[in-house]
Amino acid sequence: MSVMQDLAGRTAVVTGATRGLGRAIATRLAEAGAAIVAIDLPGLIGDVPPDWRGIGLDLLDESAGPALAAAASSCDAVDILVANAGVVPPWRGVAELDRAEWTQVMTINTWAVAETLGAFAPCLALSPRASAILMASINGYRAHPKQVLYTASKHAVIGIMRSAALDLGTQGIRVNALAPGPIATDALLSRIEARSASGDTAPDDALRALAEETALGRMATAEDVANVAHFLASDASAGMTGSVFPVEAGLP
């Protein structure tokens, strides 16, 4: 491993760390030497490795703010923050939107990202090489049919990132965003299988079609996303802030 990407002695806080991209990112940072503070739902946090510190909290709950502040106050300096927790709502066209669903998704995908970053900003300011990484999506700068809510939430994450990079840059804190394309996580596979059960494309055909859209002829993987997160967390990206980093195997 390059010395520039060695994270030994650093502390990384990762939300949504027990599953999917959050788990892949936390694992990659741990392999690079970082001590991991994993934040996820109370019912899931028991699944983290024994050498990670697990904090169970629901970012949708009104008590999440004080809980995040308490978690931050117990961490001392934090070198890396990955605000990964989020949800993907069912696909709906603009004429079929649901107000309660909109509020819930925006709370977890945008408010919780900003709230998490704000809670840990004082801890990040104590590190001489602080890096915050916010989980956006290719839907943060493009759109697909029947994805109004998800697209709006991920556009908002990019706005949060760009403003926070300006707010926190004077304290030496870098803020960037990851923008994955389709990744074959359990969450995506379950959605594809559900659509297939309703008469849509068979799962293997749907995955093949997604792969064929890319320049590389394959879907990006959770490992690909974790590798870019590692880069952004490390000194190798020390001059980078306020930017969006797509990980989508070259979608047109």
Side-chain angles (χ1 to χ4, degrees):
M1 182 189 302
S2 165
V3 173
M4 293 290 285
Q5 289 191 265
D6 184 0
L7 303 180
R10 304 191 198 187
T11 297
V13 175
V14 183
T15 66
T18 65
R19 299 175 294 180
L21 295 181
R23 182 62 172 253
I25 291 169
T27 299
R28 187 71 185 85
L29 300 182
E31 290 170 348
I36 303 298
V37 178
I39 297 176
D40 213 323
L41 293 168
L44 299 174
I45 204 64
D47 294 335
V48 301
D51 57 337
W52 295 8
R53 179 186 170 199
I55 298 175
L57 65 91
D58 185 349
L59 292 173
L60 273 173
D61 197 280
E62 292 184 2
S63 66
L68 284 168
S73 68
S74 67
C75 285
D76 298 320
V78 170
D79 305 282
I80 303 154
L81 172 68
V82 183
N84 162 78
V87 294
V88 180
W91 290 171
R92 297 184 193 276
V94 70
E96 294 87 39
L97 298 176
D98 180 86
R99 185 184 183 96
E101 182 179 73
W102 185 282
T103 300
Q104 183 180 58
V105 171
M106 282 296 190
T107 298
I108 189 67
N109 282 9
T110 63
W111 167 251
V113 168
E115 186 174 43
T116 300
L117 180 55
F120 283 94
C123 303
L124 289 163
L126 297 175
S127 169
R129 47 203 177 187
S131 174
I133 302 163
L134 312 186
M135 187 59 71
S137 163
I138 59 170
N139 284 73
Y141 53 83
R142 61 187 295 178
H144 296 89
K146 298 186 180 299
Q147 297 182 27
V148 177
L149 172 51
Y150 186 67
T151 297
S153 73
K154 292 303 182 178
H155 271 66
V157 170
I158 291 177
I160 291 166
M161 177 275 295
R162 288 176 171 152
S163 292
L166 298 174
D167 284 346
L168 301 177
T170 56
Q171 300 174 58
I173 302 170
R174 299 186 295 113
V175 188
N176 291 290
L178 282 171
I183 310 290
T185 59
D186 289 343
L188 177 63
L189 293 174
S190 65
R191 291 195 301 275
I192 288 175
E193 289 168 359
R195 290 200 293 270
S196 176
S198 299
D200 207 338
T201 308
D204 287 348
D205 292 337
L207 291 171
R208 188 178 304 111
L210 289 171
E212 289 174 351
E213 290 181 7
T214 70
L216 296 180
R218 68 170 180 86
M219 292 172 62
T221 66
E223 183 180 8
D224 292 330
V225 177
N227 286 339
V228 179
H230 178 197
F231 168 71
L232 291 175
S234 75
D235 294 344
S237 61
M240 298 177 175
T241 194
S243 295
V244 182
F245 292 81
V247 188
E248 28 76 307
L251 285 172

